[in-house]
Amino acid sequence: MGNIHPQFWGWYMGSGNFTGALGDFLTAIDGSNLGGGNTAAAMMDSQVIDWFKEKTGFPATAGGSLTSGGSMANMVAHTIALNAKAEVNVREEGILAMPQPLRYYASDQVHNCLKKALETLRLGAKSLTTVPTDNHQRMDITALEQAITDDISAGIKPACAIGTVGTTNTGAVDDLNAIAQLCQKYEIWFHVDGCIGAFLRIAPKHRHLSDGIELADSIALDPHKWLHTPFEAGCVLIRDAKRHFETLKMHGEYLQMQTHGVIAGKFLADYSFDLSRGFKALKIWMSLKENGVKKFGRLIDQNIARAQYLKHLVHESLKLQLVAPVALNIVCFRYANRKIDEADLQAINTEIMLRIQESGLAVPSDTTVAGKHCLRVAINNHRTILPDLDLLIDSVVQHGEDLENEVIDHP
Ligand SMILES: *Cc1c(COP(=O)(O)O)cnc(C)c1O
């Protein structure tokens, strides 16, 4: 898609790094299968997870696993939350044996992979209540508590509340401390989808935005986003390592653990759906060793500053309109003009996006926020410099003016 280019801002992707690429190359040569084993590779895997625990404020005793990405990290966390809250041995008996249906809660901005996880677990899409958001796209905490108490009265068991640090649409950050408090009050599993924002923990100027993440029972994070690890690399952290292990451990007669030899030690597949697993840790380990965690933190701050610059350019232009507050590094705006109606606005902005993509200049994507269709620029890119954003704005306005003439004046 062009995501290693300085003017790529579509959806939400890391932009890669050369040391990480070298790590992937060496991984293929080394050939390790990280299902487990008493090897240096397995220890590096555990060390990378230990670093992530330390940075997110999780205890060293927590469990964790490197995954293919954030979707799988969320899937693992939800499986463990389900087993924790089912009140039956759900591995043995299955979900039909549960005494009460379970309910999960997330804001209406929740990422679709969480819905997919609940469907895949056969809890059904209806097991997720989407809580309304305020005008900053943050979860309405009063509405969350109301949904919880309504469910309790109706005989449904509140199982898990999901806070998002950095929503995919707009980068909104839920009030994690407030959600954690309700989870404690009603004995609910507290999951944080930190695929975008968990690494705010290492950003000196914006660390506070992720306060409360350390209170979670589980966190999904995504090194292939803000750590720029070459695809793929996600990670799930589970506070209760025993619960993590009890949910996913499984050993055939052909794979019995030993006290020494090649298969001794912690078996990583006991924390994962996958048995055979790639050596994802090396590319993360090497790029962190080369650059230092502080540099990655400064790049996060830099991305957020670039987004503020873009917001400023949008404000300056009479032809552009900001569609959502800029909380992190995502800017939602559109070409707008009072004489154009909503349907034409959508057509014009979609065509602006496609023309800019096809011209090869840049890749913005689009979305809809509070009913308004808009262009969406996610500056999760360490190669973007300010003139790149000037060019984008000039191009949006130019294409917008051309299209306005085509659509309005010559329909
Ligand atoms: C990207 C994203 C995901 C999914 O992660 P993948 O690595 O693409 O599978 C989940 N949640 C949020 C908030 C995301 O931005």
Side-chain angles (χ1 to χ4, degrees), residues 153-170:
S153 316
I156 295 167
K157 183 178 163 116
C160 174
I162 299 151
T164 305
V165 200
T167 60
T168 313
N169 263 339
T170 66

mmCIF file of all heavy atoms in Angstrom, residues 153-170:
data_model
loop_
_atom_site.group_PDB
_atom_site.id
_atom_site.type_symbol
_atom_site.label_atom_id
_atom_site.label_comp_id
_atom_site.label_asym_id
_atom_site.label_seq_id
_atom_site.Cartn_x
_atom_site.Cartn_y
_atom_site.Cartn_z
ATOM 1 N N SER A 153 -29.812 -6.237 36.445
ATOM 2 C CA SER A 153 -31.255 -6.391 36.727
ATOM 3 C C SER A 153 -31.897 -7.403 35.787
ATOM 4 O O SER A 153 -32.841 -8.095 36.158
ATOM 5 C CB SER A 153 -32.004 -5.065 36.566
ATOM 6 O OG SER A 153 -31.292 -4.030 37.152
ATOM 7 N N ALA A 154 -31.387 -7.473 34.555
ATOM 8 C CA ALA A 154 -31.997 -8.366 33.565
ATOM 9 C C ALA A 154 -31.414 -9.790 33.621
ATOM 10 O O ALA A 154 -31.730 -10.624 32.766
ATOM 11 C CB ALA A 154 -31.818 -7.780 32.168
ATOM 12 N N GLY A 155 -30.535 -10.056 34.601
ATOM 13 C CA GLY A 155 -29.985 -11.414 34.726
ATOM 14 C C GLY A 155 -28.848 -11.722 33.777
ATOM 15 O O GLY A 155 -28.506 -12.884 33.536
ATOM 16 N N ILE A 156 -28.238 -10.672 33.244
ATOM 17 C CA ILE A 156 -27.078 -10.859 32.366
ATOM 18 C C ILE A 156 -25.822 -10.508 33.159
ATOM 19 O O ILE A 156 -25.829 -9.534 33.919
ATOM 20 C CB ILE A 156 -27.201 -9.954 31.117
ATOM 21 C CG1 ILE A 156 -28.413 -10.394 30.289
ATOM 22 C CG2 ILE A 156 -25.938 -9.981 30.280
ATOM 23 C CD1 ILE A 156 -28.823 -9.406 29.220
ATOM 24 N N LYS A 157 -24.771 -11.299 32.993
ATOM 25 C CA LYS A 157 -23.576 -11.054 33.798
ATOM 26 C C LYS A 157 -22.581 -10.132 33.082
ATOM 27 O O LYS A 157 -22.045 -10.480 32.028
ATOM 28 C CB LYS A 157 -22.876 -12.381 34.095
ATOM 29 C CG LYS A 157 -21.669 -12.207 34.996
ATOM 30 C CD LYS A 157 -21.029 -13.549 35.318
ATOM 31 C CE LYS A 157 -19.630 -13.337 35.853
ATOM 32 N NZ LYS A 157 -19.444 -13.767 37.201
ATOM 33 N N PRO A 158 -22.329 -8.935 33.657
ATOM 34 C CA PRO A 158 -21.305 -8.070 33.067
ATOM 35 C C PRO A 158 -19.943 -8.755 33.180
ATOM 36 O O PRO A 158 -19.514 -9.093 34.281
ATOM 37 C CB PRO A 158 -21.350 -6.810 33.932
ATOM 38 C CG PRO A 158 -22.674 -6.866 34.637
ATOM 39 C CD PRO A 158 -22.954 -8.323 34.842
ATOM 40 N N ALA A 159 -19.298 -9.016 32.052
ATOM 41 C CA ALA A 159 -18.065 -9.803 32.070
ATOM 42 C C ALA A 159 -16.824 -8.964 31.846
ATOM 43 O O ALA A 159 -15.825 -9.144 32.536
ATOM 44 C CB ALA A 159 -18.147 -10.903 31.013
ATOM 45 N N CYS A 160 -16.880 -8.046 30.892
ATOM 46 C CA CYS A 160 -15.644 -7.377 30.483
ATOM 47 C C CYS A 160 -15.934 -5.987 29.930
ATOM 48 O O CYS A 160 -16.833 -5.822 29.102
ATOM 49 C CB CYS A 160 -14.962 -8.234 29.399
ATOM 50 S SG CYS A 160 -13.506 -7.500 28.643
ATOM 51 N N ALA A 161 -15.202 -4.994 30.408
ATOM 52 C CA ALA A 161 -15.297 -3.644 29.831
ATOM 53 C C ALA A 161 -13.991 -3.333 29.110
ATOM 54 O O ALA A 161 -12.910 -3.616 29.628
ATOM 55 C CB ALA A 161 -15.578 -2.612 30.914
ATOM 56 N N ILE A 162 -14.135 -2.776 27.927
ATOM 57 C CA ILE A 162 -12.982 -2.503 27.072
ATOM 58 C C ILE A 162 -12.771 -0.999 26.978
ATOM 59 O O ILE A 162 -13.660 -0.262 26.551
ATOM 60 C CB ILE A 162 -13.228 -3.076 25.662
ATOM 61 C CG1 ILE A 162 -13.432 -4.598 25.726
ATOM 62 C CG2 ILE A 162 -12.072 -2.713 24.722
ATOM 63 C CD1 ILE A 162 -14.317 -5.142 24.622
ATOM 64 N N GLY A 163 -11.611 -0.554 27.389
ATOM 65 C CA GLY A 163 -11.248 0.853 27.192
ATOM 66 C C GLY A 163 -10.297 0.927 26.009
ATOM 67 O O GLY A 163 -9.437 0.063 25.857
ATOM 68 N N THR A 164 -10.463 1.937 25.186
ATOM 69 C CA THR A 164 -9.564 2.094 24.034
ATOM 70 C C THR A 164 -8.651 3.300 24.257
ATOM 71 O O THR A 164 -9.127 4.395 24.559
ATOM 72 C CB THR A 164 -10.370 2.276 22.727
ATOM 73 O OG1 THR A 164 -11.270 1.173 22.583
ATOM 74 C CG2 THR A 164 -9.449 2.319 21.522
ATOM 75 N N VAL A 165 -7.351 3.074 24.141
ATOM 76 C CA VAL A 165 -6.389 4.196 24.162
ATOM 77 C C VAL A 165 -6.035 4.466 22.716
ATOM 78 O O VAL A 165 -5.189 3.788 22.137
ATOM 79 C CB VAL A 165 -5.055 3.823 24.855
ATOM 80 C CG1 VAL A 165 -4.324 5.085 25.289
ATOM 81 C CG2 VAL A 165 -5.242 2.889 25.993
ATOM 82 N N GLY A 166 -6.698 5.431 22.144
ATOM 83 C CA GLY A 166 -6.454 5.748 20.737
ATOM 84 C C GLY A 166 -7.405 4.943 19.867
ATOM 85 O O GLY A 166 -7.102 3.830 19.455
ATOM 86 N N THR A 167 -8.584 5.520 19.598
ATOM 87 C CA THR A 167 -9.520 4.824 18.708
ATOM 88 C C THR A 167 -9.051 4.966 17.269
ATOM 89 O O THR A 167 -8.359 5.927 16.913
ATOM 90 C CB THR A 167 -10.938 5.414 18.824
ATOM 91 O OG1 THR A 167 -10.875 6.805 18.468
ATOM 92 C CG2 THR A 167 -11.483 5.265 20.232
ATOM 93 N N THR A 168 -9.464 4.012 16.459
ATOM 94 C CA THR A 168 -8.979 3.991 15.083
ATOM 95 C C THR A 168 -9.572 5.145 14.266
ATOM 96 O O THR A 168 -8.883 5.744 13.444
ATOM 97 C CB THR A 168 -9.307 2.633 14.447
ATOM 98 O OG1 THR A 168 -8.918 1.624 15.377
ATOM 99 C CG2 THR A 168 -8.557 2.432 13.154
ATOM 100 N N ASN A 169 -10.815 5.475 14.524
ATOM 101 C CA ASN A 169 -11.428 6.581 13.780
ATOM 102 C C ASN A 169 -10.724 7.912 14.014
ATOM 103 O O ASN A 169 -10.356 8.597 13.065
ATOM 104 C CB ASN A 169 -12.896 6.748 14.198
ATOM 105 C CG ASN A 169 -13.830 6.042 13.238
ATOM 106 O OD1 ASN A 169 -13.482 5.768 12.094
ATOM 107 N ND2 ASN A 169 -15.022 5.741 13.714
ATOM 108 N N THR A 170 -10.573 8.278 15.292
ATOM 109 C CA THR A 170 -10.125 9.655 15.582
ATOM 110 C C THR A 170 -8.968 9.738 16.574
ATOM 111 O O THR A 170 -8.500 10.835 16.878
ATOM 112 C CB THR A 170 -11.288 10.491 16.167
ATOM 113 O OG1 THR A 170 -11.634 9.941 17.446
ATOM 114 C CG2 THR A 170 -12.501 10.496 15.259
#
